[in-house]
Amino acid sequence: MKYKALKGVQDLIPPEIELWQHIEDVSKAVFKVYGYKELRVPIIESTDIFLRSIGETTDIVEKEMYTFPDKAGRSITLRPEGTAPVVRAFIEHNLFNLNPPQKFYYHGPMFRYERPQAGRFRQFYQIGVEAFGIDDPKLDAEIICMLRHTLEEMGLTGLEFELNSIGCSNCRPKYRESLKEFLSGRLVRLCPDCQRRFELNPLRIMDCKVTGCIELRQGAPRVIDFLCEDCRNHFDKLKDYLQLLNVSFAVNPDLVRGLDYYTKTTFEVTTTSLGAQKAVAAGGRYDRLVEEFGGPPTPAIGFAIGAERIASLLKDNYVYQSSGPVIFFATLGGEASATALKIADSLRTKGLYIEVGYDVMSLKSQMKRADRLGALYTVILGEDELKSGKAILRDMQTKKQSDIPIDAIEENFLNRIVA
Ligand code: HAM
């Protein structure tokens, strides 16, 4: 074949697409009962917004963004994630004027130029939520609970919730110094990226995936031990709320996340059934980002679910729902074909799924198609039936056939559906 999809991207085709629709439909239904409204942001954004938010020394910004100049020479980036665009939109449309918390969800493709492997794509789909305006750990608990509710409703089991607090601008400087002191003697042995990050953003070293760096940071001070009183209280209350809500979680002091905008709460949901790419969803608080983007001081929290990873966990046990047509009209001859087409058209406008055979198909192949599509009934209509005014109605499950007056087909099926 001449053309193929690019490396690291995939087509979603029927029937598998149904599983994706299931994932999206379930999320929307659950988000709705927690009061989240959809917000759609563009796929392309000005590159700056990602540099400022995700952080210039992160892997995403340094290595993974699809960035290109547009025809006017502006630097454009295909969004690698949804939080920064949502924050941009939140400020641009003065959504902070609404009563807090302002709660939004989004879903759609994200782009990261990563090395493709199982569970890691260059175009992947996220379903995310962002809630603005409330600095209460109850909201953190609620959002984590909503994530659990969503994933369970999708059909996932055996999930692990990991939780951490990475502090705020009050507690970070002390932690930063302590971390630098610990790492200074090991600096030359860190990877070149981490050596650069040492001065610019030493916290990023705690997220480096290079084996040597992972070993070198063994025993490093942990941000959770440096929390200020406010962050400590926030974290303690969050844990109490989660216990109250029966969410089992493990505190993971190494959970620093790969994006710079987080403050206080961070969390990740993992599964043991996915190999290396085990995070199915992740998120956290980002209380400074709205202000850094030029908006009023606004605490915020959110998460994003990775749809590919969910689909791969669900695919073996998913029962495809796609139902066949209510009626398949198998016809022989021009007049019968026209009569069937007219009835089919009318029933379709009433919302019934109807298929018709085409004149190029023999009656036998039309019947085969009706079977393959999983039609509930086949209506067989030829010249004899037109003459007698009665078509043959075949129940595709019992294979029983009976006569049905042609001019009663429509009413008969509409009544069946209503009944
Ligand atoms: P993230 O951890 O970068 O966070 O991504 C969230 C989820 O997206 C991951 O847990 C994973 O399931 C999925 N994911 C990430 N990269 C890939 C990939 N290359 N292929 C397949 N799936 C992937 C964020 O993006 C934050 N914006 C989440 C957030 C929202 N934080 C606050 N609000």
Side-chain angles (χ1 to χ4, degrees):
M1 211 191 68
K2 206 168 164 195
Y3 297 116
K4 280 201 157 152
L6 296 173
K7 199 172 158 192
V9 308
Q10 58 176 348
D11 300 308
L12 301 173
I13 56 175
E16 284 79 22
I17 189 73
E18 246 187 67
L19 174 54
W20 293 75
Q21 288 162 346
H22 162 75
I23 293 170
E24 286 168 14
D25 292 348
V26 167
S27 336
K28 284 184 208 169
V30 176
F31 297 165
K32 194 174 166 192
V33 300
Y34 288 82
Y36 285 73
K37 303 267 189 296
E38 185 175 359
L39 193 151
R40 282 193 197 186
V41 284
I43 284 168
I44 52 171
E45 293 276 354
S46 156
T47 301
D48 289 352
I49 75 153
F50 299 114
L51 302 186
R52 289 282 302 273
S53 56
I54 298 171
E56 300 200 27
T57 49
T58 57
D59 277 353
I60 298 181
V61 167
E62 283 185 338
K63 302 174 189 165
E64 297 169 2
M65 293 211 303
Y66 278 90
T67 297
F68 54 92
D70 71 3
K71 293 202 188 297
R74 285 173 284 236
S75 182
I76 304 290
T77 292
L78 295 183
R79 61 182 187 193
E81 59 107 50
T83 309
V86 169
V87 169
R88 196 254 322 125
F90 179 77
I91 299 168
E92 189 169 335
H93 302 284
N94 299 328
L95 298 177
F96 45 79
N97 286 335
L98 305 171
N99 271 340
Q102 300 92 346
K103 304 191 270 192
F104 306 102
Y105 76 85
Y106 52 91
H107 55 97
M110 308 291 160
F111 304 84
R112 295 184 194 175
Y113 194 80
E114 296 193 78
R115 197 167 50 79
Q117 55 175 261
R120 195 157 77 186
F121 296 86
R122 290 183 172 167
Q123 175 175 334
F124 58 98
Y125 286 78
Q126 277 189 350
I127 302 166
V129 305
E130 314 293 348
F132 296 92
I134 299 285
D135 177 26
D136 184 337
K138 195 173 175 180
L139 179 62
D140 306 31
E142 193 183 66
I143 222 168
I144 291 172
C145 233
M146 178 169 84
L147 177 57
R148 177 185 66 168
H149 186 166
T150 312
L151 297 173
E152 284 182 356
E153 200 74 20
M154 285 174 186
L156 293 173
T157 51
L159 298 169
E160 282 165 21
F161 282 73
E162 293 179 17
L163 195 66
N164 195 20
S165 173
I166 58 166
C168 66
S169 49
N170 283 335
C171 26
R172 287 272 178 80
K174 251 195 350 209
Y175 173 63
R176 199 184 140 105
E177 280 323 301
S178 168
L179 184 60
K180 281 181 77 176
E181 204 180 304
F182 174 86
L183 291 169
S184 57
R186 304 155 198 243
L187 189 56
V188 287
R189 285 177 289 153
L190 290 171
C191 75
D193 282 341
C194 283
Q195 291 191 16
R196 205 164 21 81
R197 288 163 178 163
F198 181 77
E199 282 305 334
L200 295 170
N201 191 356
L203 242 84
R204 286 271 62 88
I205 299 173
M206 300 307 282
D207 187 46
C208 179
K209 307 288 183 294
V210 174
T211 321
C213 295
I214 296 174
E215 279 164 15
L216 284 167
R217 65 177 188 240
Q218 292 295 321
R222 304 171 322 172
V223 64
I224 200 166
D225 298 322
F226 287 76
L227 298 184
C228 64
E229 200 185 338
D230 178 39
C231 289
R232 165 72 45 208
N233 284 340
H234 190 100
F235 196 48
D236 287 344
K237 278 195 195 147
L238 166 60
K239 288 186 287 184
D240 288 346
Y241 279 127
L242 290 177
Q243 264 149 14
L244 176 82
L245 294 165
N246 285 325
V247 178
S248 24
F249 61 87
V251 174
N252 175 3
D254 295 327
L255 183 67
V256 293
R257 308 278 295 120
L259 306 98
D260 272 354
Y261 48 65
Y262 291 111
T263 53
K264 292 185 177 163
T265 312
T266 54
F267 54 92
E268 208 160 83
V269 185
T270 57
T271 159
T272 44
S273 356
L274 275 182
Q277 306 306 318
K278 61 192 175 88
V280 294
R285 242 184 202 283
Y286 50 97
D287 289 344
R288 299 289 312 279
L289 191 57
V290 176
E291 203 178 346
E292 280 166 12
F293 268 31
T298 310
I301 181 167
F303 66 71
I305 298 172
E308 282 71 12
R309 296 183 190 175
I310 305 286
S312 114
L313 285 170
L314 292 180
K315 72 175 187 312
D316 292 338
N317 295 320
Y318 186 74
V319 182
Y320 289 98
Q321 315 281 320
S322 72
S323 43
V326 182
I327 307 176
F328 187 101
F329 282 97
T331 53
L332 205 60
E335 206 184 324
S337 174
T339 305
L341 187 61
K342 210 158 166 8
I343 304 172
D345 189 52
S346 176
L347 282 169
R348 284 166 173 161
T349 62
K350 310 269 171 26
L352 265 62
Y353 172 25
I354 309 290
E355 289 276 0
V356 296
Y358 297 97
D359 299 349
V360 288
M361 300 160 97
S362 69
L363 191 61
K364 197 171 159 202
S365 62
Q366 290 183 56
M367 296 301 286
K368 263 198 196 148
R369 182 161 165 76
D371 212 30
R372 232 180 286 128
L373 286 171
L376 293 179
Y377 294 92
T378 301
V379 169
I380 304 160
L381 202 59
E383 276 169 27
D384 290 350
E385 285 74 25
L386 279 181
K387 258 186 225 146
S388 69
K390 284 184 185 153
I392 300 166
L393 178 69
R394 183 177 168 87
D395 182 324
M396 298 297 282
Q397 239 150 26
T398 62
K399 313 285 178 214
K400 279 194 186 139
Q401 298 196 167
S402 54
D403 287 347
I404 182 168
I406 296 171
D407 52 14
I409 295 175
E410 200 176 324
E411 199 184 344
N412 187 300
F413 275 90
L414 286 175
N415 288 342
R416 265 173 222 247
I417 298 306
V418 175

